[in-house]
Amino acid sequence: MRLRRHGGWLTVALVGLPLALVTPHAMADTVDPLERADGLRADIDAILDDPALAGATSGVVVTHADTGEVLYSREADTGLLPASNMKPFTAAAALEVLGPDHTFGTEAVVERRPGRGAVPELYLVGGGDPTLNEEDLDSMAADVAASGVTSVGELYADDTWFDEARLVDDWWPQDEPYAYSAQISALTVAHGDRYDTGVTEVTVTPGDAGEAVNVDPGAAEGYVELDNRAVTGPVGGGNTLTVDRPEGTNTIVVTGTLPIDAGPLVVLRTVDEPAEMAGHLFARALEEHGVEVEGGVARGAVPQEWHRPRVVAEHTSMSLEEVLVPLMKFSNNGHSEMLVKSIGRHTAGEGSWRAGLVGIEEALRRMGVDTSDLVLNDGSGLSRGNLVTANAVVDLLTHAQDAPWYQAWHHSLPVAGDRDPFIGGTLTSRMGGTAAEGVVQAKTGTMTGVSALSGYVQGPDGAELYFSVVNNGHSGGAPTHVQDALVVRLAEYLGHQALVSPRRGAPAVGGELECSWELTC
């Protein structure tokens, strides 16, 4: 654990808060411990008395790791929407059930006879790998060619390792075009170094003045339909461009105006039936490696009468421990839901949300977590049917430390103020230059009217606090400045020092979605 110290600290998170909240009395060794605790509680009360939380409900718990003492509690047993604070539960259960070394496999299989030369059918079989990418498919295609297969009659994408449910029942339909609400499949292709699943990168550039813009649908070219209604506007004109995928379609619709002097607009948009897109990309790779695909590409299961199909290519994913880094750092919903179904497949032989959520709850209970106040409707927190309490979150944080996989889980949490996105994640731009920088590891959570931050604060002497802040019912953007101020206060309570620079003006608030979903962190 890196503990950072700088000559001058700037407590940005405390903008607009009274300086009395961070006066040196809180850190003085001469102050009685009871007085220090009372001062902490008073300061947290003052921090939570922020106009941004007017009309909101806030569940807040802070406990001391060594003693178990509850230093602060408010609405601790109130059921609240967790947003992405659901992910730590899912990740912990996945580590408990599958193990940190668990990997996910993808295979290309043909019938044993003929098995080489011209084969009538080839199946690309998904095993729930959240990180399978185009390079992996290209490598598999090369192996197919090396196996002696020269042509394929029909290519099938087999995603039956999971069930056919693609979206959770109460996810908002208007979210479907966006990467954070991609369809869930056992066979899907990940994009970029953050491994966003079920998406394609759409790039829009200006054309000639008054003419249509140029649209490149990325990896999904030839798989999605394209409806380009957007036009190129004059120099200095407004950018009103919209890139959509209407519900129930596999069509990318581009509307609005893009100025002729504008740079490229690059967005991620989801596709319909990710397994079929994986099949199309695999067909393209096979052709590039000299294996002719004579027929079409469709979804289909390996025939049961193929008792021992020949595996002509296979790919093994990175370990679950490694998968958790992009999942937790960037709050990846698709990965979370694939883990839910993988848990269900492992525990009940059924890759479904129903089986997986039961498996998660059972795993948490085995860990010692009190699940009586949990309501689980998905694994990512995108569902508004989930409920947690701040006490339940802290209970998870407490029991996770006793698990053999704790270090892998802890390593996956975002680190406050670290500018490396693969360390700081969704906390990259939060609490930098404060007493919390580098010593707070926590999971964020943000949806409209829902915001949360829960995790650990480490002191310079090894002491540690567990905390959970879950805000529901606020209006406007997420009250991240309130959460940050509270956590900075905890870091100072443990002995990390900061110099306060008074600043004027209203404190900044967060957006209505995780910053990683909006590609702002």
Side-chain angles (χ1 to χ4, degrees), residues 146-314:
S147 76
V149 173
T150 57
S151 66
V152 175
E154 300 290 335
L155 176 61
Y156 292 97
D158 183 344
D159 61 351
T160 54
W161 190 248
F162 294 165
D163 66 4
E164 292 193 357
R166 298 288 174 256
L167 301 167
V168 175
D169 52 7
D170 70 345
W171 285 2
W172 288 359
Q174 57 266 39
D175 287 339
E176 288 187 27
Y178 305 108
Y180 60 84
S181 189
Q183 295 182 14
I184 307 305
S185 170
L187 177 60
T188 187
V189 180
H191 169 80
D193 56 3
R194 299 187 181 190
Y195 298 101
D196 291 296
T197 56
V199 300
T200 189
E201 184 177 275
V202 180
T203 303
V204 184
T205 54
D208 295 329
E211 301 296 324
V213 299
N214 304 306
V215 182
D216 178 358
E221 184 172 6
Y223 178 64
V224 296
E225 299 292 328
L226 187 60
D227 183 359
N228 181 10
R229 310 174 196 169
V231 297
T232 305
V235 172
N239 181 350
T240 63
L241 207 67
T242 299
V243 181
D244 194 11
R245 181 178 68 83
E247 180 184 356
T249 75
N250 200 31
T251 302
I252 302 295
V253 179
V254 185
T255 57
T257 302
L258 184 67
I260 194 169
D261 56 337
L265 177 78
V266 181
V267 297
L268 295 182
R269 290 296 178 263
T270 60
V271 300
D272 187 55
E273 291 298 347
E276 285 191 42
M277 177 170 155
H280 278 266
L281 291 173
F282 193 50
R284 187 184 305 168
L286 288 170
E287 295 279 0
E288 291 174 353
H289 286 280
V291 180
E292 183 182 3
V293 180
E294 298 173 347
V297 178
R299 288 174 56 229
V302 175
Q304 292 185 354
E305 58 267 25
W306 288 14
H307 298 299
R308 294 178 59 203
R310 181 180 178 225
V311 178
V312 291
E314 57 187 330

Side-chain angles (χ1 to χ4, degrees), residues 281-509:
L281 291 173
F282 193 50
R284 187 184 305 168
L286 288 170
E287 295 279 0
E288 291 174 353
H289 286 280
V291 180
E292 183 182 3
V293 180
E294 298 173 347
V297 178
R299 288 174 56 229
V302 175
Q304 292 185 354
E305 58 267 25
W306 288 14
H307 298 299
R308 294 178 59 203
R310 181 180 178 225
V311 178
V312 291
E314 57 187 330
H315 172 74
T316 301
S317 76
M318 64 181 71
S319 68
L320 175 59
E321 178 176 357
E322 295 172 281
V323 170
L324 288 187
V325 172
L327 188 165
M328 296 283 272
K329 300 291 188 185
F330 305 115
S331 208
N332 192 304
N333 291 344
H335 292 191
S336 304
E337 306 306 345
M338 292 179 76
L339 288 186
V340 174
K341 293 194 174 188
S342 292
I343 290 170
R345 184 76 192 202
H346 185 87
T347 59
E350 178 185 309
S352 68
W353 273 294
R354 185 197 67 79
L357 293 174
V358 169
I360 288 175
E361 191 164 353
E362 291 174 347
L364 294 172
R365 282 200 297 267
R366 286 197 303 272
M367 290 170 54
V369 177
D370 182 359
T371 63
S372 58
D373 291 328
L374 290 180
V375 178
L376 308 179
N377 201 49
D378 70 6
S380 65
L382 190 59
S383 169
R384 291 178 179 265
N386 298 306
L387 287 176
V388 306
T389 65
N391 264 339
V393 178
V394 169
D395 198 30
L396 172 68
L397 296 170
T398 303
H399 284 89
Q401 290 212 337
D402 297 326
W405 40 257
Y406 170 70
Q407 290 301 325
W409 187 74
H410 187 270
H411 175 69
S412 72
L413 292 170
V415 178
D418 196 301
R419 303 303 296 179
D420 183 340
F422 281 85
I423 299 175
T426 52
L427 289 180
T428 292
S429 300
R430 293 175 61 176
M431 292 175 274
T434 74
E437 180 179 343
V439 300
V440 171
Q441 305 83 37
K443 184 68 193 74
T444 56
T446 313
M447 298 191 305
T448 302
V450 182
S451 188
L453 183 67
S454 303
Y456 304 98
V457 186
Q458 282 199 335
D461 60 354
E464 192 168 37
L465 301 180
Y466 309 147
F467 71 91
S468 179
V469 184
V470 185
N471 306 122
N472 278 196
H474 50 273
S475 58
T480 54
H481 66 287
V482 179
Q483 297 164 4
D484 293 354
L486 191 157
V487 174
V488 168
R489 181 65 181 85
L490 298 181
E492 292 171 343
Y493 177 82
L494 287 179
H496 297 293
Q497 303 204 11
L499 297 177
V500 178
S501 176
R503 297 183 60 179
R504 297 179 179 178
V509 296

